[in-house]
Amino acid sequence: MFTVNFTAFTNPSYFILMGIPGLEDFHVWISIPFCSMYVVALIGNTTVLFIIKTEAVLHEPMFYFLSMLATTDLVLSTSTLPKMLGIFWFNYHEITFHACLTQMYFIHAFSGVESGLLVAMALDRYVAICNPLRHTSILTNVVVAQVGTVALLRGLVLMTPHPFLVRKWPYCQTNVVPHTYCEHMAVVKLACADISINSLYSLAVIILIVGTDVTCICFSYVQILRTVFSLPSKDARLKTLSTCGSHVCVILIFYIPALFSFLTHRFSKQIPRHTHILLANMYLLVPPMLNPIIYGVRTKQIRECVIQLFTNKMS
């Protein structure tokens, strides 16, 4: 096990990540599904990126946004899983103070980036369905790059204050973080100071990002549904709606675990701590694992390219 440090300090040289409190005896068993999800996420998202890069037929706005989403998922899963597996397999609980801040920043920043990319993909579906004749003229490569850059910069900029605020506070009594990774509030709660500014800023950023993004996505789909139900035939309506199926699934997979993690962390004190932590891990692991599978199965172009790729390798 690990030794708890009860000395007083301003900035500790390292933190100790407990893993999943209360389930220490099951860490090795828990690591099996977690590692499997990480491997699937790596293979799936790398395959999506390779196919989009090599297949000219996929050089369209939707697939450019999908490649950005795959890259973001790789960053999110890689920011957490290697260290988590070190805890589960080798009892390597220590993480340096600056590595902890870096991990915290990447996790929260790229969660915001992913949310922004889901809005960008909703924009693509809106233009493709509501203005199909102008789709290529509106979403040019330059516009796609600009939208992706805005999503990236927004996530990075809004989360920049987090590590600086965490570094500002003095810490005392313990440097043990009851979590599998350096989650912002889990670290800040160790500070010997009034951390209300961290809590308020974190809540404001979540409301701003999620509130804005969910509103934009809902607005896009209201317009999409109005256009779809104005089509003359049932087959045309179903065919048009099917082009949105993958995106809707990805939206639900991203926001539902995030919502449950947020609500249980802030408003339910009776839920066991290990449940909070498992939900937080699912929020970071499930979307990167399922996103490439959903798009690979439901998107005809990607599915055909994957089949062709493996067929050529086997022949």
Side-chain angles (χ1 to χ4, degrees), residues 32-214:
I32 295 174
F34 280 15
C35 182
S36 300
M37 286 189 283
Y38 182 51
V39 171
V40 172
L42 286 179
I43 295 174
N45 287 291
T46 303
T47 301
V48 167
L49 287 171
F50 175 77
I51 290 174
I52 292 175
K53 177 179 174 58
T54 55
E55 298 293 336
V57 70
L58 300 181
H59 293 175
E60 299 177 0
M62 181 179 72
F63 298 108
Y64 289 141
F65 289 133
L66 180 56
S67 66
M68 297 177 196
L69 183 69
T71 302
T72 302
D73 282 339
L74 286 172
V75 173
L76 275 177
S77 55
T78 304
S79 296
T80 55
L81 251 295
K83 178 58 185 175
M84 195 184 305
L85 294 177
I87 296 171
F88 291 162
W89 289 346
F90 308 112
N91 288 324
Y92 186 66
H93 295 267
E94 292 186 8
I95 183 171
T96 65
F97 182 73
H98 291 97
C100 184
L101 296 185
T102 301
Q103 185 189 55
M104 177 193 304
Y105 178 71
F106 271 83
I107 290 171
H108 292 290
F110 279 88
S111 294
V113 173
E114 180 147 347
S115 183
L117 290 174
L118 293 179
V119 177
M121 297 171 83
L123 172 65
D124 171 75
R125 292 298 84 204
Y126 165 75
V127 177
I129 293 173
C130 299
N131 294 284
L133 298 179
R134 299 181 59 200
H135 183 238
T136 55
S137 62
I138 293 175
L139 289 179
T140 62
N141 289 344
V142 173
V143 172
V144 169
Q146 290 173 341
V147 172
T149 302
V150 169
L152 175 64
L153 292 179
R154 187 192 65 163
L156 297 181
V157 171
L158 287 178
M159 297 302 173
T160 296
H162 276 79
F164 289 100
L165 289 173
V166 173
R167 188 176 182 179
K168 173 184 176 182
W169 305 126
Y171 294 84
C172 60
Q173 294 187 351
T174 180
N175 60 347
V176 176
V177 181
H179 215 295
T180 55
Y181 59 86
C182 289
E183 196 272 333
H184 174 244
M185 291 307 299
V187 174
V188 168
K189 287 179 180 178
L190 303 180
C192 301
D194 181 7
I195 61 170
S196 57
I197 184 173
N198 289 75
S199 182
L200 290 173
Y201 182 76
S202 177
L203 182 61
V205 169
I206 291 172
I207 293 174
L208 175 63
I209 290 178
V210 176
T212 301
D213 293 353
V214 170

Side-chain angles (χ1 to χ4, degrees), residues 10 18 24 84 93 96 102 107-108 142 165 193 230 237 271 275 305 309 314:
T10 301
M18 286 182 66
E24 289 88 352
M84 195 184 305
H93 295 267
T96 65
T102 301
I107 290 171
H108 292 290
V142 173
L165 289 173
S230 67
R237 291 194 291 267
I271 295 179
T275 303
C305 289
L309 175 66
M314 293 176 64

